[in-house]
Amino acid sequence: MEKLRELILATLKNYDKENIRIGTIGSHSALNILKGAKEEGFETVCIVRKRESFVYRNFGVADHIIEVDDFRQLLDDGIQKKLIEMNTILIPHGSYNAYIGSLYSLKVPVFGNRILMEWETVREKQRDWLVNSGLNVPKTYRSPDEIDGLAIVKYPGARGGKGYFIAASKEDFLSKAEELVKRGIISKDDINKAHIQEYVLGVPVYFSFFYSPVNSRIELIAIDRRYESNVDGFGRIPADEQLKTDLIPTYTVVGNIPLIVRESLLSRILQDGEQVYEYSRKIAEPGMVGPFCLESVIDENGTIYYFEISARIVAGSSVGIPASPYSYILFGENMYMGRRIAREIRIATEKDMLEELIF
């Protein structure tokens, strides 16, 4: 990793700092990222699959479009060379994990900490990070044999909740897993890698933070909750009709809803964000750079249980466009995650701090 960083910093040193471009993959939160970059005065680059390029043309957020057949072509030497020649800084999001995997083969400067993004893809590492930061976490089960109450079954990587399900016992787990495999929603390999976690009854709440090296502070940019299919639609069916179906509620994310939490919870939330940042420095110096998300459930007593960390921008932060109440109070102007990233890059460039953002 040190050799890769030396190579990237050497590449960055040769960039024309007056003509930095901000780029990303055309998926996930690209509209958020590219619009924010344009509002801060940057030209933008979108690497997009041909069948989806019309989206970014339609919204007018991409100054340069590089069409590919598959997102993994981002790793091709030719495309990387072109991005470097364009002085591009890439902004990673969930599709990098889902479609590309490790960023260690990417020689283009990336905004954020690649090591922490790698940690995000391993649920056991995520849990260690949360626990060692002093946060509450749900109980985990090492195997279906240990299930002794409601549990939620998840899988590695950024999958948007696809195939997640609830199980109340080993037998329930095996029965639902077999049915979901049969329906083609998950694979047998998914079951072997399943992460089984206590199901905490409460409201799912997602906190989008930003750590600013320029300002040396944690910023709460937006809060959201997810709208998930088919579990949120399942609740609209009368109970007697539910019992007549063979539906298995699952948790594929189809959208996000903005949320404001009780103000009395904010001191706890901000402190938890600080603790996660502080521990990230022990994992990989200099720790978190830029956006990260803590994903939680808040129960009826106001206790917050954290179950995931995303070490990059999350799609739910788009509910904060053009500003969430939190970002507006903090900045006194329209501010959202995509624009916040671009502003950090712009100010760091002006202050000759760009190397502190690129890993």
Side-chain angles (χ1 to χ4, degrees), residues 7-132:
L7 173 64
I8 289 166
L9 291 181
T11 298
L12 187 65
K13 189 175 181 179
N14 291 323
Y15 269 23
D16 177 358
K17 304 301 191 301
E18 299 297 316
N19 290 291
I20 295 289
R21 293 183 174 93
I22 289 179
T24 198
I25 286 175
S27 177
H28 191 268
S29 49
L31 291 173
N32 186 340
I33 292 165
L34 299 174
K35 179 62 175 175
K38 289 185 71 65
E39 289 206 327
E40 288 296 308
F42 291 97
E43 284 193 16
T44 57
V45 185
C46 185
I47 304 96
V48 64
R49 291 179 295 203
K50 293 174 184 176
R51 65 179 181 270
E52 290 145 357
S53 63
F54 74 93
V55 173
Y56 303 95
R57 289 192 173 93
N58 182 274
F59 281 101
V61 293
D63 296 306
H64 306 274
I65 291 179
I66 299 173
E67 290 188 343
V68 295
D69 296 315
D70 185 281
F71 284 136
R72 284 194 62 81
Q73 287 177 249
L74 176 61
L75 300 178
D76 290 356
D77 289 340
I79 289 180
Q80 292 201 53
K81 182 182 178 185
K82 184 174 183 178
L83 291 170
I84 289 169
E85 288 172 350
M86 295 174 74
N87 306 302
T88 308
I89 294 175
L90 287 175
I91 314 301
H93 52 61
S95 290
Y96 288 69
N97 287 343
Y99 299 110
I100 295 174
S102 174
L103 299 183
Y104 293 164
S105 299
L106 196 55
K107 301 177 182 68
V108 183
V110 168
F111 178 81
N113 191 321
R114 299 186 198 213
I115 296 174
L116 295 176
M117 285 180 247
E118 189 99 343
W119 266 60
E120 174 197 330
T121 64
V122 182
R123 291 198 178 274
E124 292 74 18
K125 288 186 174 182
Q126 281 195 40
R127 182 179 175 81
D128 287 346
W129 189 351
L130 291 168
V131 169
N132 289 321

Side-chain angles (χ1 to χ4, degrees), residues 232-304:
D232 284 319
F234 199 63
R236 301 174 66 179
I237 302 173
D240 59 334
E241 296 299 326
Q242 289 184 28
L243 294 172
K244 297 174 187 176
T245 73
D246 62 351
L247 287 174
I248 300 175
T250 58
Y251 293 79
T252 302
V253 179
V254 296
N256 302 76
I257 304 165
L259 193 68
I260 301 298
V261 299
R262 291 177 61 175
E263 200 156 314
S264 58
L265 291 172
L266 283 176
S267 62
R268 176 75 260 173
I269 293 162
L270 289 168
Q271 184 179 333
D272 290 342
E274 288 273 5
Q275 290 172 202
V276 165
Y277 164 71
E278 289 298 335
Y279 192 76
S280 74
R281 296 178 63 187
K282 297 180 181 178
I283 298 171
E285 281 286 358
M288 277 305 313
V289 172
F292 66 101
C293 182
L294 297 183
E295 306 178 12
S296 77
V297 172
I298 305 178
D299 72 11
E300 61 181 343
N301 300 313
T303 302
I304 307 174

